[in-house]
């Protein structure tokens, strides 16, 4: 009787990152990348993963021709992967910034959305924040 070879088990972190790379919850990513590339304003992808947001920002001074959307998509997913390997505290306190091919990717915890959007000057016009009520409202 032969003994089967043991298969190497992936760690939980490895398998999570592999699942992220294979899954397609990022169905809106291409359109958001195209919008960020075409406009000079940040574009929010809220809840790209549960509890995780990405702010896509054109990098000042970037010149056309811009890379294909697929290249930008890969750079964004690589940035998300790298950010997930960093301290959770950093995600909650403003996030992690990456630049590639004329776009910046700020990966941050959804909890920090209001703070991040106000720092980047993002307004309700980008669909990120509803106007807040005054503090003295009854």
């Amino acid at each position: 009787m032969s003994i089967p070879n043991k298969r190497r088990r992936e760690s939980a972190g490895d398998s999570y990152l592999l699942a992220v790379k294979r899954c397609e919850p990022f169905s809106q990513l291409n359109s958001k990348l195209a919008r960020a590339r075409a406009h000079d304003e940040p574009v929010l992808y809220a809840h790209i993963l549960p509890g995780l947001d990405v702010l896509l920002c054109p990098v000042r001074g970037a010149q056309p021709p811009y890379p294909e959307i697929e290249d930008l998509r890969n750079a964004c997913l690589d940035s998300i992967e790298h950010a997930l390997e960093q301290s959770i505290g950093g995600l909650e306190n403003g996030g992690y910034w990456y630049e590639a091919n004329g776009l910046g990717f700020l990966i941050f915890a959804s909890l920090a959305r209001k703070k991040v959007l106000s720092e980047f000057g993002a307004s309700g016009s980008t669909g990120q924040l509803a106007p807040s009520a005054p503090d003295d409202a009854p």
Side-chain angles (χ1 to χ4, degrees):
M1 181 166 105
S2 65
I3 299 173
N5 292 335
K6 287 188 177 182
R7 293 191 341 208
R8 181 182 160 275
R9 289 187 69 180
E10 297 172 353
S11 72
D14 290 343
S15 61
Y16 179 75
L17 292 175
L18 288 173
V20 166
K21 284 183 174 182
R22 283 190 290 242
C23 72
E24 286 299 322
F26 311 110
S27 59
Q28 299 176 22
L29 183 55
N30 290 359
S31 61
K32 292 194 181 270
L33 285 166
R35 197 168 97 211
R37 187 173 70 172
H39 302 289
D40 192 23
E41 64 182 31
V43 175
L44 176 69
Y45 193 148
H47 300 293
I48 193 163
L49 292 171
L52 190 72
D53 292 355
V54 175
L55 192 64
L56 307 165
C57 305
V59 174
R60 186 172 287 164
Q63 297 292 319
Y66 299 111
E68 296 296 320
I69 292 295
E70 189 61 32
D71 294 336
L72 294 174
R73 179 185 180 87
N74 289 337
C76 184
L77 293 176
D78 288 346
S79 298
I80 292 168
E81 180 180 340
H82 189 266
L84 290 173
E85 294 172 345
Q86 306 308 309
S87 162
I88 191 78
L91 289 171
E92 294 173 346
N93 293 313
Y96 296 102
W97 177 263
Y98 303 91
E99 287 183 20
N101 301 320
L103 275 183
F105 310 104
L106 180 65
I107 293 89
F108 59 96
S110 299
L111 299 169
R113 184 181 307 151
K114 187 173 183 176
K115 174 186 170 191
V116 167
L117 293 179
S118 66
E119 287 176 4
F120 275 81
S123 66
S125 66
T126 53
Q128 285 66 14
L129 291 176
S132 59
D135 291 337
D136 57 356

